[in-house]
DNA sequence: CATCTTCTCAGTAGTTCTACCGAGAAGTAC
DNA sequence: GTACTTCTCGGTAGAACTACTGAGAAGATG
């Protein structure tokens, strides 16, 4: 972790920013962008969530610009730590993955914004200014998630389900017992049971009630 | 409705703002605030939603800063109109009521932000810049609503469930088997079964998978 | 051709849930 | 007090699902 010397222009009008990302290249890029704006000052850098929390407590930045995925402690856990101890520090989550699904969790973790890697310099600065002034900022791509819509970008299947398994999952989530599913798909009940067990295995051994949630997350319902 | 003459400083870098509020005093205040920022230009004013839509189509502003409550057509309806015809115009909702309850509806109506009347000039400018640059901006007061907090308007229970039944339903939806639910609530498995059967009776004989949906609809989860 | 995955099906045993039955204790309403 | 609801608990039976096992057929991949 790194502590930067105060800039000679430091004043109360400046927004003090702490960077946290495990990729030096990304940090360099962000710093280069922010250096162009005199009102923004990068006061330190961290390479994991734990360091970010410690540095935030020490430096008390206005904004903590932090990647979600970092070693030791990820951005969400770090955001929760920050909220518990210093809720006045605005956490702005920078996701290198274009995954709006995180948004809810991010806000629940106490973050004040969520921006994507493909953001422009101008928008990144706007986002930092936004959270620094007390608001919430979200990249345009996360709109559907904000309104609770099923993103219609069906979410790439994180479980590696097969087509048949998806069919079975859909039917189960609709509330059909195995016997009906078997009838509808024209296969044996035992086969449906096999698929069902494989599903539970793949998605993490959740039961029937929770399979509904998985189906919903995958956009299989509606 | 009013159309302002182009400022002599107009350029592509400027953000063109259309104001919509039925109170002249509010419009004057906003205009006074925005005039201090050379990058922002108020290109017109409307006093109701219908005029706002018409003016927006004519002037094609970057941002439409609009009150929710207006005569003839309110801000939400106007926002929906705008989204249908010119989704590139960022609608920023200004609520004179401190009511974060609107937030979801506001975003669903196509708005890109929601700010409250007691906002500072600096934050208002930040908000306008945020939505103009393609992001979403929300005043800090709306945080609880953003995270999907149950906003204390828990969706009137259409099934007439009792408190205990809601508890059981919540646990079931989380995927807990009856035995665990019984342990957690300190009651017999048979009692949980009774509640479960009563639940199925009340909500329309849905099975475990579908009970998740009911619990979710009632806002019991999250 | 050998290998892998997917989809298919079955045996066996155990657990969990469903569907009825009935009933006592506690609190509220009239 | 009587009536009502809510919450509690039990018996019994059957249906449904879980948890292992193994395995054949079809298709893609190398």
């Amino acid at each position: 972790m790194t502590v930067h010397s105060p800039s000679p222009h430091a004043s109360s009008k400046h927004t003090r920013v702490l960077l946290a990302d495990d990729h030096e290249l990304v940090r360099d890029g962000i710093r280069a962008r922010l250096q162009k704006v005199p009102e923004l000052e990068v006061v330190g850098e961290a390479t994991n969530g734990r360091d970010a929390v410690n540095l935030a407590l020490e430096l008390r930045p206005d904004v903590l610009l932090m990647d979600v995925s970092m070693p030791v402690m990820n951005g969400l856990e770090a955001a929760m730590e920050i909220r518990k101890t210093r809720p006045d520090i605005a956490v702005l989550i920078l996701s290198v993955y274009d995954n709006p699904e995180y948004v809810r969790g991010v806000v629940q973790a106490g973050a004040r914004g969520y921006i994507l890697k493909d953001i422009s310099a101008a928008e990144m600065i706007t986002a930092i200014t936004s959270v620094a002034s007390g608001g919430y900022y979200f990249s345009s791509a996360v709109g559907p998630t904000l309104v609770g819509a099923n993103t219609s970008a069906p979410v790439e299947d994180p479980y590696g389900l097969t087509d048949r398994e998806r069919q079975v999952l859909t039917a189960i989530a609709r509330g059909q017992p195995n016997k009906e599913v078997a009838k509808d798909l024209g296969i044996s009940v035992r086969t449906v049971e096999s698929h069902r067990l494989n599903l539970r295995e793949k998605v993490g051994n959740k039961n029937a009630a929770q399979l509904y949630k998985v189906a919903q997350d995958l956009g299989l319902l509606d």
Side-chain angles (χ1 to χ4, degrees), chain A:
Chain A
M1 61 194 200
T2 311
V3 177
H4 291 189
S5 301
S7 114
H9 303 295
S11 86
S12 62
K13 277 198 62 182
H14 285 205
T15 297
R16 304 173 70 249
V17 180
L18 174 61
L19 300 184
D21 194 303
D22 54 331
H23 297 95
E24 187 179 356
L25 180 61
V26 176
R27 295 198 310 276
D28 287 350
I30 296 174
R31 202 167 352 89
R33 285 179 163 191
L34 303 192
Q35 277 174 347
K36 294 178 181 174
V37 183
E39 287 77 21
L40 297 180
E41 181 186 3
V42 177
V43 296
E45 298 179 14
T47 58
N48 63 64
R50 173 52 57 201
D51 285 353
V53 172
N54 293 337
L55 260 185
L57 298 182
E58 180 189 337
L59 300 174
R60 304 196 177 177
D62 299 302
V63 176
L64 170 52
L65 180 55
M66 182 161 53
D67 188 15
V68 269
S69 66
M70 287 185 295
V72 184
M73 176 187 265
N74 70 35
L76 262 59
E77 295 168 323
M80 285 188 276
E81 284 285 322
I82 297 286
R83 181 177 51 177
K84 275 189 285 186
T85 50
R86 294 213 61 87
D88 55 314
I89 298 176
V91 175
L92 179 57
I93 293 293
L94 175 68
S95 177
V96 294
Y97 306 110
D98 189 348
N99 185 355
E101 292 308 307
Y102 287 141
V103 174
R104 284 218 187 84
V106 160
V107 179
Q108 276 174 328
R112 305 294 293 267
Y114 182 96
I115 57 180
L116 300 178
K117 62 171 176 182
D118 59 354
I119 197 175
S120 72
E123 194 179 346
M124 179 177 284
I125 290 160
T126 298
I128 293 172
T129 309
S130 294
V131 299
S133 69
Y136 288 80
Y137 188 92
F138 301 94
S139 281
S140 57
V142 306
T145 305
L146 276 181
V147 300
N150 288 341
T151 5
S152 74
V155 180
E156 48 182 309
D157 180 355
Y159 305 112
L161 303 184
T162 66
D163 291 345
R164 204 55 157 171
E165 285 166 348
R166 252 185 295 273
Q167 287 180 350
V168 174
L169 173 57
T170 305
I172 291 172
R174 288 209 191 96
Q176 297 184 49
N178 290 350
K179 194 195 290 182
E180 278 185 32
V181 179
K183 193 179 170 190
D184 284 1
L185 297 181
I187 56 180
S188 156
V189 176
R190 309 309 305 273
T191 305
V192 177
E193 289 176 354
S194 289
H195 287 310
R196 188 174 193 131
L197 292 177
N198 290 336
L199 275 168
R200 290 163 58 89
E201 182 67 26
K202 283 187 179 178
V203 305
N205 206 27
K206 320 215 170 182
N207 68 2
Q210 297 247 286
L211 283 179
Y212 181 92
K213 175 173 169 51
V214 174
Q216 189 177 255
D217 289 345
L218 293 179
L220 299 179
L221 304 176
D222 294 14

